[in-house]
Amino acid sequence: MPSYEVKYRDKSGSIRKANLYRQNEGELREYVASRSSELISIKTLEKRRDRSTSKRTSRVCLHEFTALLSMLLSSSLSARDALAVVQQVAERKDVQLLSRRVLDCIDKGSSFQEALVSEIADIPPVDEGLVKIGGRTGELAQVYGRLTGFLDEQKKIRDAFSGAMIYPIIILVVVVGGMIGLSVYALPKLLAIFSELGGAARDNLARSLANAQAVSYAVGILFFTVVVAYICISAIRKKNEAFAQKIDKVVIRIPLIGDIFALRSMLDFTFAMESLTKGGISLDEALLEASGAVSNQFIAEGILRVREAVRKGSALSTACSSSGAFKPDVSQWIAGGERTGH
């Protein structure tokens, strides 16, 4: 009996996810409706190998692995031959080992997609979806070419963001360190000197020292609280999907920073949609796969709402506009594409 991953909104409004066995999607829809819940998405689960022994793959390793495969596949090599060459020519040891592990899986009878999923424990959903489409359509070389371009653009955005944040972080560290050093080392030394002199100077310096120490402690406590809060929120976000959606919704509402995160999510979404639809995938399936390519859970949930609206007969631009997860200009671009047929 087929296995499905079902995402739905229960009576209380919470988003739930469950793996269910049913004969077909019709039975799943009836089951969700019988629980007075709103269906969000259905995804067929494929049999996968056990990933417990697979290693996590760094972003740099995956990028180089993808770029080398793209170059070799475009030279009309088969996937297996391309992997064998990557194993020989890659400069990084982790890329060589990854190629060897994937190649071993293929030699044992796995398909290229199954081998990747098995050996890359944290393979991005868009990579997995595109490899699946490339294998289905016979355009694996074209898919890897687009995927390499996408990873290059993502790296440029990450580098630009990191470069923009380095200077403010350095200034913050210097200011906090200077305040702590001033209150802990410099001012007590001055107080000891002026204590020998007595008078108003000593009293004024003592008050200044007390104020500086209070401010330093407050800044230190605030900094420590922010760091701990970030760690806790990140941990909860990974385990609680409803919480992740709320946090991600807040993040994209933050001026400037929110625009950067929203832009990255839209880049992921548009790339996935372009690649999937060019591969001959239906709009319904492309929206489902594209939702997994977006890191912001609020926008990903919005894409699934768009999918449900499209399945009910709404135009894609109308569904995006009413989802609440897309900026107005994105909906306008999509509407323009619908009118021109592009």
Side-chain angles (χ1 to χ4, degrees):
M1 184 178 294
S3 175
Y4 300 91
E5 180 184 87
V6 182
K7 185 181 291 187
Y8 61 93
R9 183 177 288 104
D10 62 17
K11 297 178 183 179
S12 64
S14 301
I15 305 297
R16 306 290 184 186
K17 186 185 291 185
N19 293 342
L20 301 173
Y21 291 92
R22 292 294 186 277
Q23 293 292 344
N24 51 54
E25 291 191 11
E27 289 188 8
L28 281 175
R29 294 178 184 278
E30 292 177 1
Y31 170 77
V32 174
S34 68
R35 298 173 63 89
S36 301
S37 301
E38 178 188 354
L39 180 66
I40 296 175
S41 67
I42 298 175
K43 185 176 182 179
T44 303
L45 297 177
E46 300 178 356
K47 289 185 178 180
R48 294 184 177 180
R49 295 175 182 268
D50 181 14
R51 296 190 190 185
S52 59
T53 59
S54 57
K55 298 181 179 179
R56 296 186 64 85
T57 306
S58 70
R59 187 177 289 161
V60 177
C61 172
L62 187 59
H63 192 171
E64 182 176 330
F65 177 77
T66 302
L68 287 173
L69 271 182
S70 172
M71 178 182 65
L72 294 168
L73 290 171
S74 64
S75 303
S76 300
L77 290 178
S78 66
R80 191 191 182 289
D81 291 341
L83 286 167
V85 174
V86 170
Q87 184 180 340
Q88 297 296 324
V89 303
E91 295 181 358
R92 294 175 57 93
K93 291 292 185 181
D94 51 358
V95 177
Q96 296 176 10
L97 292 174
L98 176 59
S99 303
R100 184 184 306 164
R101 295 201 310 267
V102 174
L103 192 57
D104 289 342
C105 280
I106 292 176
D107 289 340
K108 293 176 182 178
S110 299
S111 66
F112 181 61
Q113 178 212 347
E114 291 172 342
L116 283 181
V117 172
S118 174
E119 295 303 325
I120 305 178
D122 50 351
I123 183 172
V126 67
D127 291 38
E128 182 180 350
L130 288 176
V131 171
K132 182 196 304 181
I133 301 309
R136 187 188 305 177
T137 61
E139 298 181 350
L140 197 59
Q142 292 86 335
V143 163
Y144 259 88
R146 291 195 291 269
L147 188 56
T148 300
F150 171 65
L151 294 177
D152 288 340
E153 289 299 321
Q154 277 196 324
K155 186 177 184 301
K156 290 179 183 178
I157 293 175
R158 286 196 305 271
D159 291 345
F161 183 75
S162 300
M165 292 301 295
I166 287 176
Y167 183 71
I169 290 174
I170 292 176
I171 295 298
L172 177 62
V173 171
V174 170
V175 170
V176 173
M179 292 179 64
I180 294 175
L182 186 65
S183 62
V184 172
Y185 180 76
L187 288 179
K189 291 286 186 181
L190 289 175
L191 181 60
I193 294 173
F194 278 90
S195 295
E196 299 177 359
L197 300 177
R202 182 191 62 183
D203 297 335
N204 291 335
L205 187 60
R207 284 194 294 270
S208 299
L209 175 60
N211 292 334
Q213 287 178 332
V215 172
S216 299
Y217 292 151
V219 171
I221 292 172
L222 177 62
F223 184 77
F224 178 76
T225 302
V226 169
V227 172
V228 172
Y230 175 78
I231 294 173
C232 293
I233 289 173
S234 299
I236 298 173
R237 182 184 178 276
K238 292 179 180 179
K239 297 181 179 180
N240 190 313
E241 189 169 349
F243 179 79
Q245 291 175 18
K246 293 177 182 178
I247 290 296
D248 288 353
K249 182 178 180 180
V250 172
V251 168
I252 63 173
R253 297 288 191 268
I254 300 174
L256 186 59
I257 295 178
D259 292 337
I260 294 175
F261 281 101
L263 177 62
R264 178 178 177 180
S265 294
M266 287 299 102
L267 175 64
D268 294 346
F269 170 70
T270 53
F271 167 78
M273 287 296 295
E274 177 188 13
S275 300
L276 292 167
T277 52
K278 278 186 176 181
I281 302 306
S282 66
L283 178 61
D284 177 70
E285 187 177 353
L287 285 169
L288 178 60
E289 294 289 347
S291 67
V294 177
S295 57
N296 186 288
Q297 292 302 307
F298 175 71
I299 295 178
E301 176 65 21
I303 295 171
L304 293 176
R305 291 197 298 271
V306 168
R307 177 175 179 253
E308 286 302 309
V310 169
R311 298 181 79 169
K312 294 176 182 177
S314 296
L316 179 59
S317 59
T318 303
C320 290
S321 178
S322 60
S323 69
F326 292 83
K327 292 185 178 295
D329 51 357
V330 176
S331 301
Q332 292 172 5
W333 296 336
I334 295 174
E338 289 176 333
R339 294 191 187 97
T340 60
H342 300 285

